[in-house]
């Protein structure tokens, strides 16, 4: 019998959100708070010759004007390459050049407009292939001098390469010579934006005793603490980071950016509270975006469709600063082939600096981009072999006993069941064989398929924790360091706790906000890792509670602890469930009928640390970066107009091996949301730059998102191959809905138009250009 | 014609109560609701009328409060999500149908739905789409929001 796992309970914070009472960072009262606004660079690359702040400083109400010379520190989670405010040089349009702090936002903005800056424009590069070209301007001539924060990053001095990762498995040279079919293609994906509905916001203050208080819309409160501590030499215990509800993250709020500026501003004001408010436009242009990607893919196969060899180059376009992008280059190297058993692999994955907004994690950590390239190439192989693209994928799907590109031997626990996902999505989507079908004059319907896989790339020693306290009514409070960013992780954790304690999930209350002073450290709310990492901590906290309840029960029933059962909020001696003690009477210790006090109050705690993960071998990539993979298969069906290049998306289907379904409706909705994000990104979203390197699409008038009425019929199915070592076997799943969607859409459109699509976004105009200009 | 200069005290009718606020001519309704009345359910998502997160209901119709000057709202009846106070069936429907995730766009969507359902208790599909196209949700697939509306139409 299941008590909580497998039940579709509503999110714990449901009513806070539908009543408008859920508080996000910018909703908090601001009495006595000062406001900061940013002046940003109008050039993609330029030397700052002079900044005249006198106009701003003379304004009534302006408290401080801060420029790069006030902040000589460099930041970065892998390479310290990014100033908080540009010093001497700007490397992207939108980069902070000055910050004005004033009594209110309007005055701060007036101050921003009163600053005069003189620039000397410099040559710039927007695409990674341009940045690697002979003679290209260097963004960071001092690259070798930067401090490396982690071991696994390899900046190449004298180039624009922030890092490079190599995967070598088998022997591609001889393998390609044995192939009947070889396809080669070059892909280009522009960067795009997370566009969380809540614009990033951060506030900082410093108390009289020197404690730094930060409130921020962040997925990484403990990373905020760490980075402020490291760079400013503040003991971590003197930094307290508070994260209320977060209005969407999608990876974009895992980077530490605004918090640093807010701290600098508060410090300048002697510790007074300062809230940094950025506009939507700055959220897109100044704060980090999604990576771009260029790729060269060569796949070799036998005539029967068996994939033998893959030669791959990925150029991850990280923009002006590296942030976490080197790790994304590594992550897509680890998963470079897609979920296929390809015995011979060579992959070089580079992270390259360019002069545009820097990138950070985006839902699925670059796998949506990587999958686009590989899955398009796999379709090209299928076309050349004259095979159904679904059958070709089924034939090559990675299985237990196969080796991944980094030479991890797959077991069912490690790899799940991709063939079953493919078989199920075939039914769910009514797969038609992948051949376009005419449905009217100039109208065709076509389907495209993509598989997906992803493992994680956390620090090998990342940690999580859970604390559980009881209320006098026997209900519980669950306290973790997981930020509630919309993925419903805390509801899942409550269900894991309830299931393990054999109680109804309604008895578990969750603390929605994170306060680093109160909640146990959780690495970051990223990588869909909440259920695995925090879930393990919660599971252990539940075991801790059970042990304490059994000890109390043993005293109350005067028996051994092994004989005590805990179920339905009751504690009883095995074989005699009718004589029980309710939680409310035993969680605070037990008062016996004779009045004596027995047992101890129950407090649950669980900690979890990742184990058994390794760095990658620098030459071959051999190693294990995550505990397991999540695999899946997705199909998109479209109806295209061959004359005007418009199309409608009819349906989109996903089947993902989630290991175990904790909350069916929550999981379905989060996967569907991921699919929707992928559909919007692939069909219309892009950061385009003009000839001066300025972002042409910095707002919703030019950067289009999907609206209601444009969405297809979303269908979601699950496979459940449990992952060992994960609570109830659940696998990371919450970002994965996006991964194969751009590829599946492009595969459907490629089939419909009879052209091989190699770039995004798939607007009618782009399709028309492909048609008239031929393939790139 | 009314004329406002400098800071002016005006009276707004918000959620059935007369509220006094002090505004500059350029202050938008969104900021006044949030900063002076503590009604933070309406959210700034773009401050450009594109995303709908700040939607409130004015005289029965949805309005993007970032595009309304506070002084323009004088004499109008304003309803915010706080004014629904669990009194609209659309709130429960949003919970039942997973029509939100991060919750940031939710107030705006609720207000559009509430206004639409007041005017068209049984909206056809195209009416629903036309009304709800004013708002953006980045988390859900929209199917859930559509289902939430339909679930109360069928009742």
């Amino acid at each position: 019998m299941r008590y909580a796992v497998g039940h579709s309970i509503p999110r714990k914070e449901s009513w806070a959100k539908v009543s408008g009472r859920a508080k996000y960072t910018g909703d908090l009262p601001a009495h006595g708070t000062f406001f900061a606004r940013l002046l940003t660079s109008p050039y993609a690359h330029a030397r700052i010759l002079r900044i005249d702040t006198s106009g701003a400083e003379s304004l009534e109400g302006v408290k401080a004007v801060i420029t790069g010379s006030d902040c000589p520190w460099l930041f970065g989670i892998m390479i310290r390459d990014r100033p908080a405010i540009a010093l001497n040089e700007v490397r992207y349009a939108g980069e902070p050049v000055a910050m004005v702090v004033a009594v209110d936002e309007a005055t701060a903005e007036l101050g921003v407009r009163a600053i005069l800056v003189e620039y000397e424009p410099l040559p710039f590069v927007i695409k990674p292939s341009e940045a690697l070209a002979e003679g290209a301007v260097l963004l960071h001539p001092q690259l070798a001098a930067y401090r490396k924060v982690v071991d696994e990053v390899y900046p190449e001095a004298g180039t624009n390469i922030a890092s490079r990762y190599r995967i070598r498995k088998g022997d591609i040279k001889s393998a390609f010579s044995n192939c009947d079919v070889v396809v080669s293609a070059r892909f280009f994906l522009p960067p795009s934006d997370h566009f969380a509905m809540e614009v990033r916001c951060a506030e900082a203050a410093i108390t009289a005793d020197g404690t730094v208080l930060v409130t921020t819309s962040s997925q990484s409160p403990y990373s905020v603490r760490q980075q402020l501590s490291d760079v400013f030499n503040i003991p971590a215990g003197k930094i307290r980071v508070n994260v209320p509800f977060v209005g969407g993250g999608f990876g974009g709020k895992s980077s530490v950016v605004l918090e640093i500026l807010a701290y600098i501003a508060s410090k300048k004001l002697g510790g007074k509270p300062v809230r940094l408010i950025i506009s939507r436009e700055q959220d897109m242009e100044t704060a980090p975006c999604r990576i771009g990607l260029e790729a060269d893919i060569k796949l070799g196969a036998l005539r029967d469709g068996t994939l033998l060899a893959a030669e791959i180059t990925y150029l991850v376009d990280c923009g002006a600063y590296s942030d976490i992008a080197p790790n994304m280059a590594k992550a897509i190297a680890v998963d470079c082939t897609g979920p296929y058993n390809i015995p011979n692999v060579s992959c070089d994955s580079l992270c390259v600096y360019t002069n545009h907004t820097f990138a950070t994690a985006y839902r699925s950590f670059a796998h949506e981009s990587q999958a686009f390239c590989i899955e398009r190439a796999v379709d090209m192989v299928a076309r050349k072999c004259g095979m159904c693209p679904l059958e070709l994928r089924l034939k090559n799907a990675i299985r237990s006993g196969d080796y991944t590109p980094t030479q991890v031997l797959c077991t069912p626990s490690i790899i799940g069941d991709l063939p079953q996902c493919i078989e199920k999505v075939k039914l769910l989507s009514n797969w038609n064989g992948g051949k376009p079908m005419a449905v009217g004059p100039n109208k065709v319907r076509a389907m495209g398929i993509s598989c997906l896989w992803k493992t994680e790339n956390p620090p090998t020693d990342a940690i999580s924790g859970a604390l559980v306290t009881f209320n006098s009514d026997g209900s519980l409070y669950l306290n973790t360091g997981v930020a509630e960013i919309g993925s419903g992780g805390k509801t899942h954790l409550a269900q894991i706790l309830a299931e393990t304690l054999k109680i109804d999930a309604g008895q578990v209350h969750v603390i929605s906000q994170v306060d680093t002073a109160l909640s146990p450290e959780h690495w970051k709310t990223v990588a869909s890792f909440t259920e695995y990492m925090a879930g393990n901590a919660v599971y252990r906290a539940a075991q801790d509670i059970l042990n304490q309840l059994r000890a109390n029960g043993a005293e109350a029933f005067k028996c051994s602890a092994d004989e005590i059962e805990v179920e339905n909020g009751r504690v009883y001696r095995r074989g005699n469930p009718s004589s029980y003690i309710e939680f409310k009477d035993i969680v605070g210790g037990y008062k016996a009928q004779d009045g004596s006090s027995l047992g101890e109050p129950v407090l649950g705690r669980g900690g979890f640390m990742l184990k058994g993960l390794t760095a990658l071998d620098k030459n071959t990539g051999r190693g294990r970066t995550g505990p397991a993979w999540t695999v899946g298969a997705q199909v998109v069906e479209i109806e295209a107009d061959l004359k005007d290049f418009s199309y409608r998306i009819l349906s989109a289907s996903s089947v993902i091996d989630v290991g175990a379904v904790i909350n069916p409706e929550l999981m379905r909705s989060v996967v569907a949301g991921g699919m929707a994000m992928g559909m919007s990104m692939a069909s219309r979203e892009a950061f385009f730059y003009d000839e001066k390197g300025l972002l042409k699409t910095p707002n919703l008038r030019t950067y289009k998102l999907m609206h209601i009425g444009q969405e297809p019929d979303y269908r979601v199915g699950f496979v459940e191959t449990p992952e060992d070592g994960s609570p109830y076997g659940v696998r990371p799943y919450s970002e994965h809905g996006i991964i194969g969607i751009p590829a599946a859409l492009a595969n459907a459109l490629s089939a419909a138009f009879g052209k091989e699509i190699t770039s995004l976004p798939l607007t009618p105009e782009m399709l028309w250009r492909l048609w008239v200009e031929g393939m790139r | 014609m009314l004329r406002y200069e400098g800071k002016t005290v005006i009276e707004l009718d918000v959620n059935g109560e007369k509220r006094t606020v002090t505004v500059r001519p350029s202050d938008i309704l969104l900021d006044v609701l949030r900063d002076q009345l503590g009604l933070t359910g309406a959210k700034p998502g773009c401050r450009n009328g594109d995303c709908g997160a700040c939607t409130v209901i004015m005289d029965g119709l949805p309005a993007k409060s970032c595009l309304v000057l506070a002084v323009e709202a004088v004499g109008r009846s304003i309803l915010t999500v706080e004014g629904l106070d669990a009194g609209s069936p659309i709130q429960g429907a949003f919970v039942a149908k997973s029509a939100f995730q991060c919750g940031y766009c939710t107030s705006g969507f609720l207000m559009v739905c509430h206004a639409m359902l007041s005017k068209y208790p049984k909206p056809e599909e195209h009416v629903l789409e036309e009304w709800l196209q004013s708002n953006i949700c980045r988390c859900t697939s929209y199917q859930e929001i559509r289902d939430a509306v339909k679930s109360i139409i069928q009742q």
Side-chain angles (χ1 to χ4, degrees), chain A residues 4-206:
Chain A
V5 164
H7 298 188
S8 286
I9 63 166
R11 291 164 176 276
K12 285 288 178 181
E13 74 283 10
S14 288
W15 281 93
K17 287 181 175 174
V18 296
S19 62
R21 289 183 198 165
K23 295 291 181 194
Y24 302 77
T25 300
D27 296 339
L28 301 177
H31 296 299
T33 302
F34 293 81
F35 289 85
R37 298 276 300 173
L38 297 174
L39 174 69
T40 61
S41 164
Y43 291 98
H45 197 191
R47 218 182 312 280
I48 301 172
L49 300 178
R50 206 169 61 86
I51 304 185
D52 179 358
T53 58
S54 58
E57 277 156 357
S58 64
L59 278 178
E60 176 81 28
V62 167
K63 294 289 167 187
V65 182
I66 302 165
T67 62
S69 57
D70 298 311
C71 358
W73 313 279
L74 290 175
F75 300 85
I77 194 164
M78 299 186 75
I79 305 169
R80 293 231 184 120
D81 58 5
R82 177 171 56 90
I85 298 176
L87 178 60
N88 303 328
E89 186 177 340
V90 288
R91 297 186 179 87
Y92 71 94
E95 181 164 7
V97 172
M99 175 164 56
V100 178
V101 192
V103 290
D104 56 33
E105 198 187 336
T107 308
E109 183 59 31
L110 282 176
V112 162
R113 291 171 193 202
I115 297 173
L116 301 173
V117 188
E118 209 177 307
Y119 296 94
E120 177 194 337
L122 296 170
F124 62 89
V125 284
I126 289 293
K127 290 184 181 179
S129 50
E130 295 167 3
L132 295 181
E134 191 79 34
V137 65
L138 292 185
L139 273 86
H140 298 276
Q142 61 283 60
L143 187 54
Y146 288 152
R147 185 160 153 214
K148 282 169 57 174
V149 183
V150 296
D151 292 332
E152 271 193 286
V153 65
Y154 312 104
E156 298 182 8
T159 75
N160 284 315
I161 299 170
S163 196
R164 181 197 300 258
Y165 304 91
R166 287 186 191 84
I167 306 292
R168 299 289 184 271
K169 186 178 95 166
D171 175 1
I172 56 160
K173 215 167 186 181
S174 67
F176 272 116
S177 66
N178 293 328
C179 290
D180 303 315
V181 172
V182 174
V183 302
S184 294
R186 173 164 289 188
F187 298 91
F188 168 70
L189 306 182
S192 66
D193 198 46
H194 306 81
F195 211 99
M197 293 309 296
E198 178 202 23
V199 170
R200 295 163 176 95
C201 183
E203 182 170 328
I206 307 165

Side-chain angles (χ1 to χ4, degrees), chain A residues 588-611:
Chain A
Y590 184 66
K591 189 168 187 181
Q593 276 174 349
D594 65 5
S596 57
S597 305
L598 301 176
E600 302 289 347
V602 179
L603 297 168
R605 84 262 185 279
F608 179 76
M609 186 182 203
L610 290 173
K611 300 273 164 64

Side-chain angles (χ1 to χ4, degrees), chain A residues 488-552:
Chain A
K490 291 201 168 182
T491 303
H492 271 157
L493 295 177
Q495 289 180 270
I496 289 169
L497 179 62
E499 183 65 37
T500 314
L501 296 175
K502 297 184 178 174
I503 56 175
D504 187 276
Q507 290 297 301
V508 180
H509 308 293
V510 301
I511 296 173
S512 294
Q513 69 175 51
V514 179
D515 180 337
T516 58
L518 303 176
S519 312
E521 178 164 346
H522 173 69
W523 166 50
K524 293 176 182 177
T525 307
V526 299
S528 309
F529 234 6
T530 293
E531 288 80 2
Y532 183 81
M533 286 192 60
N536 262 311
V538 168
Y539 185 79
R540 290 174 186 187
Q543 297 298 338
D544 187 38
I545 289 168
L546 289 173
N547 287 337
Q548 294 173 53
L549 285 172
R550 287 194 195 104
N552 283 4

